[in-house]
Amino acid sequence: MAIEDDVLVIGGGIAGLSSAIAAAETGARTRLITHKQSTLGNASGLVDVLGYAPDDDTPRADPYDAIAQLPAEHPYSKVGADAVREGLALFDDAVGDRYRGSHSAANALVPTHAGSVKPTARYPRSTAPGLVSDDRDMLLVGIDSVTGFDAPMAADHLSAVGVPFDVRGETVRFPKSFPQDADVTRYARALDRDESVDDGTVREVLADRVEAVLEDERRVGFPAMLGDSRHEAVRTELQDRLGVDVFEVPTGPPSLPGLRLEDALYDAAEDAGVRITSGNPIVDFDADGGRVQQVLMDRLGSEVAYEAQQYVLATGGPVGGGIESDRDVVEESIFGLPVEHPEDRYEWFDDDVWGDHAYTEFGVSVDDDLRPVAGEEVQFENLRAAGNVIGGYDFATEKSGCGVSLATGYVAGSEAGELT
Ligand SMILES: Cc1cc2nc3c(=O)[nH]c(=O)nc-3n(C[C@H](O)[C@H](O)[C@H](O)COP(=O)(O)OP(=O)(O)OC[C@H]3O[C@@H](n4cnc5c(N)ncnc54)[C@H](O)[C@@H]3O)c2cc1C
């Protein structure tokens, strides 16, 4: 016997979680099934809506006013600017005080670990004192054993792009030694627990070492490693000890702000009454009369059937596992939905590593209700897609990743819920 729900969402990234919350909020009995950790663990934790319009390398002040200029196949063109606002409102409710940026429709400018400035719509509270619109002088502090954040270089880059304040970079030693391959989560745990070291505790000694290099800057930025489960306590203690504002600079994978965001969204989904089943993939489906009847999960070699009236496909792009390719073909991985792509594999990539690679926009095509189509033909009446499994946009170039997932997640989830 299949397990039955009103709405079944496949995929536990930001698109699947926002779909599931939106569906549950309509009163539908909603289940989310997900396989592995989502792309949020690699992403920065910043929520971009639209940082750059096509063919324009000037950062957008207002992400919404460029939506009308996007091509018809772009997911924002399918759902419209109001759906983007609704998706962001769902996000704001879900994460509450953990994030900033909802006071304004304009993009904020956040310094990155590479020393560039990124336009983004929502940013973690821990990054807020680092905004580039703030003109207080800034000290960036790198940790010598943590790769991926060279503070003096990031400071030089920020100065070179003309930020309205003085910025310096210093590198200090972390109070505790870890094996060379330890990632930032190990450092964060030591700060969470405030582990003992020779001269005190890690928080005390780290603050002492930073104090020794602090001049008259009024804010200090660290790579995003200041604690995991107790990160606000860690940051507050460093602020109190240093007597200046302390902020985190988003860093590359594994990204603690991204992992914290994933946890917050799971909590919100549970609060909304979503039933969550994780750890195993959906591998197959049965359909009849143009409707998905059930999907099949592979649990340790045996198939478990899940049935619902409406389905949302939120399995991500090539990174998340929603789109797969071999040497000849690209397709969606559960339903075998077609993915438009050049026949010649050499056209999937640009010769210039920084160029426009066709593969970045690979994904399923959808109609205005986000139902996957082949040409114009809707594939399954009761299946909607959300997030990076949808094609037609390049999140990395235009800076729109989480924004597209939230807008399409909101639309797919609420429409699916309302139809039950
Ligand atoms: C390095 C990097 C940095 C980024 N930085 C930013 C940024 O700064 N700002 C921003 O807005 N965006 C950023 N993005 C983009 C953003 O993270 C993604 O666009 C977004 O997270 C995609 O969300 P999603 O829910 O569509 O997919 P995913 O997060 O990929 O989630 C898909 C989920 O589906 C599950 N799944 C897949 N197949 C199955 C199956 N068969 N059965 C069950 N479950 C399945 C996966 O395990 C996964 O949990 C970044 C991305 C990367 C890679």
Side-chain angles (χ1 to χ4, degrees):
M1 269 265 296
I3 297 162
E4 284 181 38
D5 293 283
D6 295 333
V7 175
L8 197 153
V9 177
I10 312 168
I14 187 167
L17 287 158
S18 52
S19 297
I21 293 169
E25 283 178 352
T26 68
R29 186 184 154 98
T30 304
R31 180 179 301 274
L32 180 143
I33 296 182
T34 193
H35 184 198
K36 298 181 189 154
Q37 195 175 56
S38 79
T39 305
L40 286 175
N42 295 325
S44 64
L46 300 175
V47 173
D48 307 340
V49 166
L50 193 65
Y52 296 88
D55 305 322
D56 183 356
D57 53 13
T58 315
R60 302 298 310 183
D62 181 338
Y64 295 98
D65 70 2
I67 287 178
Q69 301 164 24
L70 295 171
E73 64 275 15
H74 194 290
Y76 283 156
S77 305
K78 306 279 179 189
V79 297
D82 283 347
V84 185
R85 291 189 182 89
E86 296 284 0
L88 267 276
L90 179 149
F91 176 83
D92 293 335
D93 276 353
V95 299
D97 197 33
R98 297 177 182 89
Y99 267 71
R100 296 282 185 268
S102 60
H103 64 286
S104 162
N107 275 326
L109 297 174
V110 175
T112 72
H113 61 104
S116 59
V117 174
K118 182 163 190 217
T120 195
R122 298 287 186 274
Y123 43 97
R125 180 172 52 185
S126 67
T127 64
L131 289 195
V132 169
S133 49
D134 183 337
D135 63 6
R136 289 176 300 164
D137 290 348
M138 179 187 280
L139 173 67
L140 295 179
V141 174
I143 305 293
D144 65 351
S145 49
V146 173
T147 54
F149 183 59
D150 179 336
M153 189 197 75
D156 287 349
H157 283 186
L158 283 172
S159 298
V161 297
V163 293
F165 46 83
D166 287 338
V167 50
R168 271 186 327 113
E170 294 278 359
T171 304
V172 301
R173 226 164 16 90
F174 196 73
K176 199 164 179 161
S177 305
F178 297 115
Q180 237 182 351
D181 59 350
D183 68 39
V184 288
T185 54
R186 184 65 195 89
Y187 292 80
R189 269 206 308 276
L191 285 161
D192 272 347
R193 297 186 198 131
D194 202 14
E195 290 173 6
S196 295
V197 289
D198 282 351
D199 305 327
T201 67
V202 282
R203 293 185 200 170
E204 279 168 21
V205 178
L206 181 61
D208 289 347
R209 290 181 183 175
V210 174
E211 196 169 26
V213 294
L214 184 63
E215 294 178 355
D216 48 9
E217 294 90 357
R218 302 306 305 150
R219 49 185 176 153
V220 176
F222 291 83
M225 51 169 271
L226 299 181
D228 185 8
S229 57
R230 309 213 57 227
H231 63 274
E232 270 307 301
V234 173
R235 196 169 64 89
T236 305
E237 183 168 340
L238 290 175
Q239 286 188 156
D240 291 345
R241 289 185 178 280
L242 291 167
V244 300
D245 278 351
V246 164
F247 64 94
E248 289 186 312
V249 180
T251 43
S255 157
L256 279 159
L259 293 168
R260 294 174 198 147
L261 173 56
E262 188 171 69
D263 288 348
L265 292 173
Y266 268 101
D267 288 348
E270 270 169 9
D271 289 348
V274 176
R275 294 160 174 76
I276 295 170
T277 307
S278 60
N280 298 295
I282 298 296
V283 291
D284 208 349
F285 71 104
D286 289 320
D288 192 23
R291 290 178 67 83
V292 177
Q293 297 296 328
Q294 59 180 14
V295 292
L296 301 169
M297 174 194 282
D298 174 13
R299 196 159 64 197
L300 302 173
S302 51
E303 282 187 343
V304 183
Y306 286 83
E307 196 174 307
Q309 295 177 46
Q310 298 289 329
Y311 296 82
V312 177
L313 177 69
T315 44
V319 180
I323 302 295
E324 54 188 21
S325 63
D326 59 26
R327 289 202 68 77
D328 305 312
V329 81
V330 187
E331 65 177 11
E332 183 279 322
S333 55
I334 298 175
F335 299 91
L337 299 165
V339 171
E340 271 185 42
H341 60 278
E343 292 284 309
D344 181 351
R345 200 167 193 275
Y346 288 99
E347 289 176 32
W348 298 3
F349 310 95
D350 193 89
D351 288 342
D352 176 2
V353 75
W354 304 113
D356 290 334
H357 303 284
Y359 78 86
T360 56
E361 299 199 17
F362 286 175
V364 300
S365 302
V366 291
D367 69 2
D368 289 351
D369 290 321
L370 300 181
R371 290 175 304 180
V373 292
E376 306 251 299
E377 196 186 332
V378 171
Q379 297 295 281
F380 302 102
E381 195 196 307
N382 60 342
L383 175 69
R384 285 171 170 70
N388 204 205
V389 73
I390 301 177
Y393 71 111
D394 175 358
F395 73 78
T397 306
E398 64 190 32
K399 308 294 179 213
S400 64
C402 289
V404 166
S405 291
L406 287 169
T408 54
Y410 167 77
V411 169
S414 48
E415 286 190 4
E418 275 155 17
L419 285 165
T420 63

